[in-house]
Amino acid sequence: MSAEGCLQPVHTKTAPLELAPSPSSCPSPSPTCPKTKTCSYRGAVGLGNKYVRLNVGGTLFYSTLQVLTRQDSLFKTMFSGKMEVFTDKEGWILIDRCGKHFGAILTYLRDGSVTLPKSRQGIMELMAEAKYYLIQGLVEVCQKALQDNKEKAMCVIPVLTSRKEEERLIQGCTKPVVKLLYNRSNNKYSYTSNSDDNLLKNIELFEKLSLSYNGRVLFLKDVIGDEICCWSFYGQGRKLAEVCCTSIVYATEKKHTKVEFPEARIYEETLNALLYETLPVPDTSLLEATRRRAHCCSHSEDDESSDMRERVRRIHIKRYSTYDDRQLGH
């Protein structure tokens, strides 16, 4: 039931705001404007347990006078008899506001605390409602939340400065870890024509993934390694896979560094790492289903590292053992 166009502002100026949905048991509002009348609640504050019915912009709420008048607010003035209130023919008190956040208003009056909306816009809307109803405590809560959100970074990505720091972060993290090593300055060869663009694409993908999964995955930047562009994936302290994005080619008589952008492979390994979010480790059959090559897991890390030193670097996925029958911590 909308009161817009049916009521004149009472003794205060009104501004459009939004409030919370009504209980399913409440009758649905009438599509037409109700006939209104004014009444006085002089002396009603003493009837603390008396229920009153509120129609806030067409959304219906029940509450008690004790809750509504607990704090110094517009409601305390409204039900003290110092101002007239509008009611419809069924006795619902009409408040010419939107009902989107009114449930939060009642919760704060009842409990002295409230769960704030997740979005900054929602908090601003609730704060405007609190200002209209003159609930100063809720206004201050909203202002503090807006200030905290402004100061808090959406995503924090550590930059590694030593191998000891890297080991500490990976071993001490219960979440999967994705690390991007990029170090353009250590290249002693020239780059192919599109290598700079591909290096930038890898960095942009890293930033995109970190914003999408920052609550589930620890992302690390590594700028001190020997590689030019290399992704590493860890789960529960163990290295799962590696995607190296560089190779050496002979475009002329000289060697050139080629940087690739294997986007699909990087996405795949990131999703595989998410299997390690919780204990216990994933089932062996599930791990086998996510492996590209079963025989890649038969080599030890030392064998693979030695093999990598003997061959030309190329785009590859280097997988490590994803299943260890030892208990964690051994």
Side-chain angles (χ1 to χ4, degrees):
M1 175 187 308
S2 175
E4 295 181 11
C6 303
L7 303 177
Q8 297 297 324
V10 186
H11 288 138
T12 57
K13 295 183 179 179
T14 61
L17 275 200
E18 303 186 351
L19 298 156
S22 63
S24 57
S25 60
C26 292
S28 57
S30 169
T32 59
C33 279
K35 295 181 179 179
T36 63
K37 61 181 180 179
T38 60
C39 64
S40 173
Y41 276 79
R42 187 179 304 276
V45 175
L47 304 176
N49 293 324
K50 180 180 178 181
Y51 267 87
V52 294
R53 299 180 297 174
L54 304 171
N55 181 339
V56 185
T59 308
L60 309 180
F61 297 88
Y62 285 96
S63 188
T64 64
L65 287 172
Q66 183 180 26
V67 168
L68 292 170
T69 59
R70 182 170 294 167
Q71 300 186 26
D72 288 331
S73 66
L74 180 65
F75 298 110
K76 194 165 189 176
T77 303
M78 180 185 299
F79 294 110
S80 66
K82 296 179 180 179
M83 61 181 290
E84 292 181 333
V85 296
F86 289 97
T87 62
D88 62 15
K89 61 181 180 180
E90 296 178 353
W92 291 85
I93 297 173
L94 302 175
I95 299 178
D96 193 11
R97 304 289 288 183
C98 180
K100 179 179 179 181
H101 295 291
F102 195 75
I105 295 289
L106 288 180
T107 298
Y108 184 81
L109 292 175
R110 184 182 301 113
D111 304 327
S113 62
V114 67
T115 301
L116 297 178
K118 294 182 178 180
S119 68
R120 182 178 179 85
Q121 178 64 28
I123 296 176
M124 292 177 66
E125 291 174 359
L126 178 57
M127 183 172 68
E129 289 298 289
K131 287 181 177 179
Y132 174 80
Y133 292 113
L134 306 178
I135 307 174
Q136 185 59 31
L138 182 55
V139 172
E140 293 174 358
V141 169
C142 293
Q143 288 175 338
K144 184 177 185 304
L146 291 172
Q147 183 64 28
D148 291 344
N149 288 343
K150 185 178 180 180
E151 296 175 352
K152 184 168 59 177
M154 180 180 297
C155 181
V156 177
I157 301 176
V159 178
L160 300 177
T161 57
S162 69
R163 291 290 160 246
K164 188 171 291 187
E165 180 187 24
E166 175 185 355
E167 181 180 356
R168 177 181 61 82
L169 287 172
I170 294 175
Q171 295 299 326
C173 184
T174 57
K175 299 184 291 187
V177 178
V178 174
K179 183 188 75 170
L180 174 61
L181 189 164
Y182 60 93
N183 193 353
R184 190 186 190 286
S185 61
N186 72 351
N187 181 36
K188 58 185 176 181
Y189 309 116
S190 60
Y191 287 80
T192 58
S193 58
N194 63 344
S195 290
D196 285 330
D197 288 341
N198 284 336
L199 180 59
L200 181 59
K201 288 179 181 178
N202 278 280
I203 296 173
E204 289 175 341
L205 178 58
F206 178 80
E207 293 173 349
K208 180 179 179 180
L209 290 173
S210 64
L211 289 175
S212 299
Y213 298 103
N214 69 87
R216 304 173 62 185
V217 177
L218 172 63
F219 289 87
L220 301 175
K221 282 184 179 179
D222 187 352
V223 295
I224 61 174
D226 296 329
E227 297 283 358
I228 296 169
C229 184
C230 185
W231 295 74
S232 299
F233 304 86
Y234 302 83
Q236 296 174 6
R238 305 184 183 99
K239 193 169 188 178
L240 308 175
E242 183 180 273
V243 178
C244 184
C245 303
T246 57
S247 60
I248 304 300
V249 298
Y250 288 87
T252 62
E253 295 180 355
K254 297 181 179 181
K255 292 181 180 179
H256 294 268
T257 299
K258 184 178 183 180
V259 180
E260 294 282 3
F261 177 52
E263 183 177 12
R265 291 183 177 183
I266 295 166
Y267 266 113
E268 180 182 1
E269 294 304 329
T270 302
L271 294 177
N272 286 340
L274 289 175
L275 295 172
Y276 289 79
E277 282 190 281
T278 57
L279 288 171
V281 295
D283 183 79
T284 307
S285 60
L286 179 59
L287 295 176
E288 289 292 342
T290 64
R291 291 172 181 158
R292 282 181 173 269
R293 303 181 184 90
H295 68 271
C296 290
C297 300
S298 62
H299 301 292
S300 67
E301 294 186 22
D302 293 337
D303 292 341
E304 288 187 340
S305 298
S306 175
D307 185 40
M308 283 297 298
R309 288 193 294 268
E310 295 174 1
R311 68 188 183 192
V312 175
R313 213 183 314 276
R314 67 177 190 272
I315 298 176
H316 64 281
I317 290 186
K318 192 167 61 172
R319 277 200 171 275
Y320 293 78
S321 176
T322 55
Y323 178 75
D324 193 338
D325 55 4
R326 297 174 300 170
Q327 294 183 357
L328 291 177
H330 290 74

